[in-house]
mmCIF file of all heavy atoms in Angstrom:
data_model
loop_
_atom_site.group_PDB
_atom_site.id
_atom_site.type_symbol
_atom_site.label_atom_id
_atom_site.label_comp_id
_atom_site.label_asym_id
_atom_site.label_seq_id
_atom_site.Cartn_x
_atom_site.Cartn_y
_atom_site.Cartn_z
ATOM 1 N N LEU A 1055 72.024 67.629 108.643
ATOM 2 C CA LEU A 1055 72.099 66.327 109.241
ATOM 3 C C LEU A 1055 71.454 66.281 110.655
ATOM 4 O O LEU A 1055 70.755 65.360 111.012
ATOM 5 C CB LEU A 1055 73.633 65.999 109.492
ATOM 6 C CG LEU A 1055 74.443 65.558 108.170
ATOM 7 C CD1 LEU A 1055 75.827 65.323 108.397
ATOM 8 C CD2 LEU A 1055 73.816 64.408 107.462
ATOM 9 N N SER A 1056 71.692 67.427 111.432
ATOM 10 C CA SER A 1056 71.085 67.492 112.800
ATOM 11 C C SER A 1056 69.530 67.525 112.597
ATOM 12 O O SER A 1056 68.824 67.163 113.697
ATOM 13 C CB SER A 1056 71.545 68.723 113.412
ATOM 14 O OG SER A 1056 70.879 69.884 112.972
ATOM 15 N N MET A 1057 68.922 67.881 111.517
ATOM 16 C CA MET A 1057 67.440 67.888 111.345
ATOM 17 C C MET A 1057 66.935 66.704 110.654
ATOM 18 O O MET A 1057 65.888 66.538 110.344
ATOM 19 C CB MET A 1057 67.086 69.067 110.427
ATOM 20 C CG MET A 1057 67.424 70.353 111.195
ATOM 21 S SD MET A 1057 67.201 71.857 110.009
ATOM 22 C CE MET A 1057 65.496 71.932 109.706
ATOM 23 N N GLY A 1058 67.823 65.671 110.592
ATOM 24 C CA GLY A 1058 67.429 64.241 110.117
ATOM 25 C C GLY A 1058 67.455 64.066 108.715
ATOM 26 O O GLY A 1058 66.888 63.182 108.190
ATOM 27 N N PHE A 1059 68.253 64.880 107.905
ATOM 28 C CA PHE A 1059 68.362 64.685 106.503
ATOM 29 C C PHE A 1059 69.629 63.830 106.133
ATOM 30 O O PHE A 1059 70.511 63.808 106.950
ATOM 31 C CB PHE A 1059 68.520 66.146 105.829
ATOM 32 C CG PHE A 1059 67.219 66.857 105.650
ATOM 33 C CD1 PHE A 1059 66.675 67.474 106.804
ATOM 34 C CD2 PHE A 1059 66.545 67.069 104.572
ATOM 35 C CE1 PHE A 1059 65.496 68.118 106.751
ATOM 36 C CE2 PHE A 1059 65.325 67.638 104.530
ATOM 37 C CZ PHE A 1059 64.842 68.270 105.580
ATOM 38 N N ILE A 1060 69.699 63.287 104.967
ATOM 39 C CA ILE A 1060 70.605 62.530 104.430
ATOM 40 C C ILE A 1060 71.087 63.294 103.162
ATOM 41 O O ILE A 1060 70.336 63.663 102.429
ATOM 42 C CB ILE A 1060 70.160 61.035 104.039
ATOM 43 C CG1 ILE A 1060 69.870 60.408 105.452
ATOM 44 C CG2 ILE A 1060 71.282 60.439 103.271
ATOM 45 C CD1 ILE A 1060 69.289 58.963 105.167
ATOM 46 N N GLU A 1061 72.419 63.329 103.084
ATOM 47 C CA GLU A 1061 73.041 64.049 101.979
ATOM 48 C C GLU A 1061 73.080 63.106 100.619
ATOM 49 O O GLU A 1061 73.389 61.950 100.690
ATOM 50 C CB GLU A 1061 74.512 64.356 102.185
ATOM 51 C CG GLU A 1061 75.212 65.241 101.049
ATOM 52 C CD GLU A 1061 76.421 65.997 101.570
ATOM 53 O OE1 GLU A 1061 76.894 65.719 102.666
ATOM 54 O OE2 GLU A 1061 76.835 66.860 100.796
ATOM 55 N N ILE A 1062 72.814 63.770 99.565
ATOM 56 C CA ILE A 1062 72.816 62.964 98.311
ATOM 57 C C ILE A 1062 73.735 63.853 97.269
ATOM 58 O O ILE A 1062 73.931 65.007 97.527
ATOM 59 C CB ILE A 1062 71.490 62.853 97.527
ATOM 60 C CG1 ILE A 1062 70.774 64.209 97.315
ATOM 61 C CG2 ILE A 1062 70.526 61.861 98.386
ATOM 62 C CD1 ILE A 1062 69.596 64.241 96.378
ATOM 63 N N ARG A 1063 74.225 63.132 96.303
ATOM 64 C CA ARG A 1063 74.979 63.834 95.241
ATOM 65 C C ARG A 1063 74.637 63.350 93.839
ATOM 66 O O ARG A 1063 74.208 62.270 93.694
ATOM 67 C CB ARG A 1063 76.493 63.636 95.510
ATOM 68 C CG ARG A 1063 77.001 63.989 96.850
ATOM 69 C CD ARG A 1063 78.120 64.647 97.043
ATOM 70 N NE ARG A 1063 78.674 65.661 96.122
ATOM 71 C CZ ARG A 1063 79.950 65.989 96.098
ATOM 72 N NH1 ARG A 1063 80.924 65.438 96.964
ATOM 73 N NH2 ARG A 1063 80.429 67.094 95.387
ATOM 74 N N GLY A 1064 74.813 64.122 92.875
ATOM 75 C CA GLY A 1064 74.513 63.792 91.579
ATOM 76 C C GLY A 1064 75.499 64.310 90.581
ATOM 77 O O GLY A 1064 76.393 65.095 90.910
ATOM 78 N N PRO A 1065 75.552 63.870 89.277
ATOM 79 C CA PRO A 1065 76.464 64.425 88.315
ATOM 80 C C PRO A 1065 76.373 65.719 88.006
ATOM 81 O O PRO A 1065 75.272 66.400 87.869
ATOM 82 C CB PRO A 1065 76.266 63.488 87.157
ATOM 83 C CG PRO A 1065 74.846 63.197 87.203
ATOM 84 C CD PRO A 1065 74.432 63.009 88.636
ATOM 85 N N ILE A 1066 77.534 66.391 87.637
ATOM 86 C CA ILE A 1066 77.606 67.778 87.287
ATOM 87 C C ILE A 1066 77.184 67.852 85.740
ATOM 88 O O ILE A 1066 76.507 68.750 85.356
ATOM 89 C CB ILE A 1066 79.145 68.356 87.460
ATOM 90 C CG1 ILE A 1066 79.296 68.574 88.896
ATOM 91 C CG2 ILE A 1066 79.414 69.483 86.530
ATOM 92 C CD1 ILE A 1066 80.824 68.891 89.295
ATOM 93 N N ILE A 1067 77.667 66.860 84.997
ATOM 94 C CA ILE A 1067 77.349 66.693 83.534
ATOM 95 C C ILE A 1067 75.905 65.920 83.598
ATOM 96 O O ILE A 1067 75.878 64.887 84.098
ATOM 97 C CB ILE A 1067 78.225 65.894 82.791
ATOM 98 C CG1 ILE A 1067 79.543 66.814 82.773
ATOM 99 C CG2 ILE A 1067 77.827 65.645 81.342
ATOM 100 C CD1 ILE A 1067 80.709 66.204 81.908
ATOM 101 N N GLU A 1068 74.944 66.646 83.027
ATOM 102 C CA GLU A 1068 73.619 66.160 83.296
ATOM 103 C C GLU A 1068 72.796 65.946 82.014
ATOM 104 O O GLU A 1068 73.205 66.672 81.041
ATOM 105 C CB GLU A 1068 72.868 67.110 84.270
ATOM 106 C CG GLU A 1068 71.569 66.726 84.917
ATOM 107 C CD GLU A 1068 71.518 65.264 85.499
ATOM 108 O OE1 GLU A 1068 71.394 64.474 84.599
ATOM 109 O OE2 GLU A 1068 71.591 65.096 86.695
ATOM 110 N N SER A 1069 71.656 65.249 82.041
ATOM 111 C CA SER A 1069 70.927 65.160 80.767
ATOM 112 C C SER A 1069 69.850 66.261 80.852
ATOM 113 O O SER A 1069 69.469 66.672 81.987
ATOM 114 C CB SER A 1069 70.340 63.810 80.679
ATOM 115 O OG SER A 1069 69.344 63.574 81.795
ATOM 116 N N ALA A 1070 69.467 66.819 79.744
ATOM 117 C CA ALA A 1070 68.239 67.684 79.683
ATOM 118 C C ALA A 1070 67.001 66.983 80.326
ATOM 119 O O ALA A 1070 66.255 67.593 80.909
ATOM 120 C CB ALA A 1070 68.018 68.136 78.290
ATOM 121 N N PHE A 1071 66.879 65.691 80.214
ATOM 122 C CA PHE A 1071 65.895 64.917 80.816
ATOM 123 C C PHE A 1071 65.747 65.228 82.368
ATOM 124 O O PHE A 1071 64.613 65.696 82.702
ATOM 125 C CB PHE A 1071 66.095 63.399 80.564
ATOM 126 C CG PHE A 1071 64.912 62.620 81.140
ATOM 127 C CD1 PHE A 1071 63.783 62.507 80.365
ATOM 128 C CD2 PHE A 1071 65.019 62.067 82.225
ATOM 129 C CE1 PHE A 1071 62.717 61.720 80.823
ATOM 130 C CE2 PHE A 1071 63.985 61.172 82.822
ATOM 131 C CZ PHE A 1071 62.768 61.216 82.078
ATOM 132 N N TYR A 1072 66.743 64.933 83.026
ATOM 133 C CA TYR A 1072 66.581 65.183 84.527
ATOM 134 C C TYR A 1072 66.554 66.679 84.836
ATOM 135 O O TYR A 1072 66.001 67.033 85.869
ATOM 136 C CB TYR A 1072 67.760 64.447 85.293
ATOM 137 C CG TYR A 1072 67.516 63.015 85.529
ATOM 138 C CD1 TYR A 1072 68.377 61.981 84.929
ATOM 139 C CD2 TYR A 1072 66.304 62.557 86.106
ATOM 140 C CE1 TYR A 1072 68.058 60.624 85.209
ATOM 141 C CE2 TYR A 1072 66.107 61.156 86.396
ATOM 142 C CZ TYR A 1072 67.075 60.226 85.773
ATOM 143 O OH TYR A 1072 66.772 58.966 85.982
ATOM 144 N N ASN A 1073 67.343 67.379 84.045
ATOM 145 C CA ASN A 1073 67.389 68.835 84.444
ATOM 146 C C ASN A 1073 66.087 69.718 84.005
ATOM 147 O O ASN A 1073 65.717 70.571 84.685
ATOM 148 C CB ASN A 1073 68.588 69.500 83.649
ATOM 149 C CG ASN A 1073 68.969 70.743 84.280
ATOM 150 O OD1 ASN A 1073 69.521 70.765 85.496
ATOM 151 N ND2 ASN A 1073 68.658 71.867 83.572
#
Side-chain angles (χ1 to χ4, degrees):
L1055 291 175
S1056 78
M1057 289 165 75
F1059 283 77
I1060 290 172
E1061 186 165 8
I1062 57 166
R1063 307 221 37 198
I1066 282 172
I1067 295 176
E1068 194 42 282
S1069 63
F1071 180 82
Y1072 278 120
N1073 197 70

